[in-house]
Amino acid sequence: MEILNTAIKFALLISLIISPTLLFNKLRKHSFKYPFILYLISAVLITFFLVMVLAWWSHFSTELLLSHYGYYSGNLNETERMKNVAVENLDKINTLRISKMGIGWPLKAIMFYPFYFPYLVIAYLGMYFYSKKSSQKVSLQKDSIEF
């Protein structure tokens, strides 16, 4: 169960890393008047959705693991919550309960996004200069073949 939760978190994280590059390549195939603005708007929308999904999944997977280990958070007192938890899982339950405390997942996502946003600009600039450099190499190779 923990492996599946971790795999889904990594898949969402990898999609956050790869999505600006895929979006740049998709927009480069079309000729738009203002490609950077279109890239920025669509990248912000797509990646903000992915950040929200990642934050939600992080919260939901903690709840899922708690219920998997027998912890029931619907009861009011601690003894009823912990009555189905095996003794060997008490440390895991306490760790998961502590990680669940604090701010909620929407606020975590909103607070994470300002740190992620510069990556969108850096990824665009990197892909832009890489595409310019590779197109210059291709044009130089075509010129050298013609001689």
Side-chain angles (χ1 to χ4, degrees):
M1 184 65 111
E2 290 180 37
I3 296 171
L4 179 65
N5 288 340
T6 305
I8 291 172
K9 284 179 189 177
F10 277 128
L12 288 170
L13 188 60
I14 288 171
S15 67
L16 274 174
I17 293 170
I18 293 175
S19 62
T21 306
L22 295 175
L23 183 62
F24 177 83
N25 289 334
K26 182 77 173 172
L27 292 176
R28 188 177 59 145
K29 292 178 183 177
H30 305 287
S31 59
F32 293 108
K33 189 172 183 179
Y34 301 108
F36 179 70
I37 304 240
L38 184 62
Y39 165 82
L40 206 57
I41 290 171
S42 52
V44 164
L45 291 175
I46 291 169
T47 58
F48 188 74
F49 173 75
L50 287 173
V51 165
M52 292 296 276
V53 169
L54 180 64
W56 171 81
W57 177 255
S58 178
H59 174 77
F60 180 73
S61 68
T62 302
E63 290 288 331
L64 197 63
L65 283 174
L66 283 171
S67 67
H68 176 71
Y69 288 126
Y71 183 82
Y72 182 66
S73 55
N75 292 331
L76 294 178
N77 62 13
E78 196 64 29
T79 56
E80 289 181 11
R81 290 181 192 163
M82 301 287 269
K83 72 179 178 182
N84 294 330
V85 177
V87 176
E88 61 269 5
N89 295 332
L90 286 176
D91 290 335
K92 291 180 184 177
I93 291 293
N94 286 331
T95 305
L96 288 171
R97 281 182 45 223
I98 289 171
S99 71
K100 192 176 84 164
M101 293 180 185
I103 61 175
W105 65 266
L107 189 56
K108 285 180 185 177
I110 290 169
M111 288 174 57
F112 170 76
Y113 203 76
F115 295 105
Y116 177 76
F117 182 76
Y119 173 72
L120 295 176
V121 177
I122 292 168
Y124 180 83
L125 293 174
M127 292 298 294
Y128 177 76
F129 289 125
Y130 178 76
S131 66
K132 288 292 183 186
K133 186 177 180 181
S134 64
S135 66
Q136 287 176 355
K137 282 184 180 180
V138 170
S139 67
L140 287 175
Q141 287 175 352
K142 286 181 181 179
D143 290 342
S144 64
I145 293 173
E146 291 177 5
F147 288 118

